[in-house]
């Protein structure tokens, strides 16, 4: 019985409602494609990734959202969801750099625990003006989608990331 | 990964339990079934699992270094042994308390 990684990773439930995948989303960090649930170090995700949405019709536009549902710590996510990146008007078959960057990319810097970082794309019905949120913490993907009539997500990918230098513990000084 | 069923062997941690999961596999050489045990750390949000409980674990995202299962449900509670002396003592205490209450009311 194989389960959807988005369900196992609690992405569906914590951030998104159940949806049917209807687009192909490819995310590449340093020319390495991201798979659901893969572990990356903060040093590997300093620069924004390359986003590729498969398709041939450049009239189809998409909105990309990158959020962290485990901020500041997975056991007490008071800032859920923390907005890391927001790009609109991304044409199908083109890179995210062709889109309109509303909120600039902020590289993940998890302090406590293992954080999930989720990329979600919504299909836009028309080219529209989307206002930048006033702050990054406590962003809500469901409310955002409802506010701009984006409908359910069409694809999503997430990765895990944790502090590079080990978490706490006693340090012995010889 | 599919859900697994096992017995809680440790609940000393906060919101975490260690669950022993048994599995059988067939040894072709000896034509026998061999039992092997795996121990998994699992997240117990309510902290109500006791040693000996039979629980079902569901796979989860990595919650910590060694923990990527969640206790989905307790299938069977462990039978707690109560010594007969303790049981009789508690019943005697109850009866004396009742007598005292009736005397005071009278």
């Amino acid at each position: 019985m194989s389960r959807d990684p988005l369900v196992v990773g609690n992405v569906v439930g914590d951030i998104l409602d159940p949806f049917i995948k209807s687009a192909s989303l490819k995310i590449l960090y340093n020319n390495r494609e991201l798979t659901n649930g893969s572990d990356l170090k903060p040093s590997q995700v300093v620069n924004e990734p390359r986003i590729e949405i498969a398709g041939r019709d450049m009239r189809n536009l998409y909105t990309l959202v990158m959020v962290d549902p485990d901020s500041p710590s997975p056991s007490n996510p008071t800032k859920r969801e923390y907005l890391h990146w927001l790009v609109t008007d991304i044409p199908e078959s083109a890179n995210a750099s062709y889109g309109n960057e509303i909120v600039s990319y902020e590289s993940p810097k998890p302090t406590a625990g293992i954080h999930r970082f989720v990329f979600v794309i919504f299909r836009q019905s028309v080219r529209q003006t989307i206002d930048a949120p006033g702050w990054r913490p406590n962003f809500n993907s469901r409310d955002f989608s409802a506010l701009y009539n984006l409908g359910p997500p069409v694809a999503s990918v997430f990765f895990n990331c944790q502090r590079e230098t080990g978490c706490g513990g006693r340090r012995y000084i010889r | 990964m599919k859900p697994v069923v096992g017995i809680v062997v440790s609940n000393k941690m906060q919101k975490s339990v260690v669950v022993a999961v048994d599995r059988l596999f067939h040894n072709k050489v000896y034509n026998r079934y061999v039992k092997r045990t795996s121990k998994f750390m699992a997240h117990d949000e309510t902290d109500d699992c006791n040693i000996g409980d039979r629980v079902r674990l569901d796979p989860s995202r990595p919650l910590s270094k060694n923990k990527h299962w969640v206790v989905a449900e307790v299938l069977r509670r462990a039978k707690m042994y109560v010594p007969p002396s303790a049981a009789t003592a508690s019943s005697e205490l109850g009866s004396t308390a009742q007598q005292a209450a009736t005397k005071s009311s009278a």
Side-chain angles (χ1 to χ4, degrees):
Chain A
M1 187 187 101
S2 65
R3 290 173 70 195
D4 182 7
L6 295 171
V7 176
V8 173
N10 266 57
V11 171
V12 171
D14 284 351
I15 304 170
L16 309 171
D17 294 319
F19 68 95
I20 295 157
K21 187 183 172 186
S22 57
S24 174
L25 172 64
K26 218 186 217 181
I27 293 166
L28 298 104
Y29 271 111
N30 307 322
N31 292 327
R32 275 183 60 193
E33 192 180 342
L34 204 66
T35 54
N36 275 317
S38 55
D39 291 296
L40 295 180
K41 296 188 176 84
S43 60
Q44 295 174 291
V45 293
V46 170
N47 301 317
E48 61 186 58
R50 203 164 88 243
I51 310 289
E52 291 175 6
I53 300 163
R56 293 207 183 96
D57 191 353
M58 290 197 75
R59 288 171 297 180
N60 284 342
L61 298 173
Y62 294 89
T63 294
L64 171 83
V65 176
M66 179 190 178
V67 290
D68 173 13
D70 298 315
S71 181
S73 78
S75 54
N76 185 28
T78 52
K79 293 180 184 176
R80 172 181 291 177
E81 307 154 20
Y82 189 90
L83 180 65
H84 279 267
W85 202 20
L86 176 57
V87 185
T88 62
D89 302 333
I90 303 170
E92 196 171 282
S93 78
N95 193 357
S97 56
Y98 288 91
N100 177 22
E101 192 174 63
I102 306 294
V103 176
S104 62
Y105 179 79
E106 185 181 309
S107 61
K109 293 182 187 74
T111 50
I114 301 170
H115 289 228
R116 294 164 291 171
F117 292 90
V118 187
F119 293 91
V120 187
I121 56 167
F122 300 95
R123 187 177 277 122
Q124 294 174 211
S125 49
V126 289
R127 191 182 287 271
Q128 58 182 326
T129 306
I130 289 176
D131 302 315
W135 47 83
R136 289 177 188 261
N138 303 111
F139 179 82
N140 192 310
S141 302
R142 290 184 179 101
D143 292 352
F144 174 77
S145 167
L147 181 64
Y148 293 104
N149 298 315
L150 296 171
V154 292
S156 181
V157 177
F158 82 101
F159 68 92
N160 293 320
C161 185
Q162 60 180 309
R163 228 176 77 186
E164 218 149 345
T165 53
C167 295
R170 192 175 289 175
R171 283 161 181 78
Y172 294 102
I173 299 161
R174 288 172 186 261
Chain B
M1 285 192 292
K2 60 181 180 182
V4 294
V5 173
I7 305 292
V8 175
V9 292
S10 168
N11 65 345
K12 285 186 168 69
M13 297 165 283
Q14 293 176 3
K15 294 193 176 185
S16 300
V17 289
V18 179
V19 179
V21 177
D22 292 334
R23 65 183 189 279
L24 286 173
F25 67 92
H26 186 253
N27 188 313
K28 287 180 184 174
V29 176
Y30 298 111
N31 195 24
R32 294 285 184 276
Y33 281 94
V34 187
K35 187 168 88 169
R36 287 284 180 271
T37 303
S38 301
K39 289 204 286 187
F40 298 123
M41 270 178 67
H43 183 68
D44 176 22
E45 184 60 45
T46 51
D47 232 343
D48 67 341
C49 285
N50 288 313
I51 293 173
D53 287 356
R54 188 176 173 81
V55 295
R56 194 184 88 236
L57 303 182
D58 277 349
S60 156
R61 65 193 177 87
L63 297 163
S64 71
K65 183 185 173 186
N66 300 318
K67 192 162 70 165
H68 44 257
W69 295 88
V70 171
V71 175
E73 64 170 317
V74 179
L75 301 172
R76 193 186 67 224
R77 294 276 176 195
K79 289 187 173 72
M80 304 299 282
Y81 174 70
V82 181
S85 56
T88 53
S90 62
S91 63
E92 282 170 12
L93 276 169
S95 61
T96 51
Q98 278 180 345
Q99 285 169 5
T102 51
K103 278 180 185 175
S104 63
S105 62

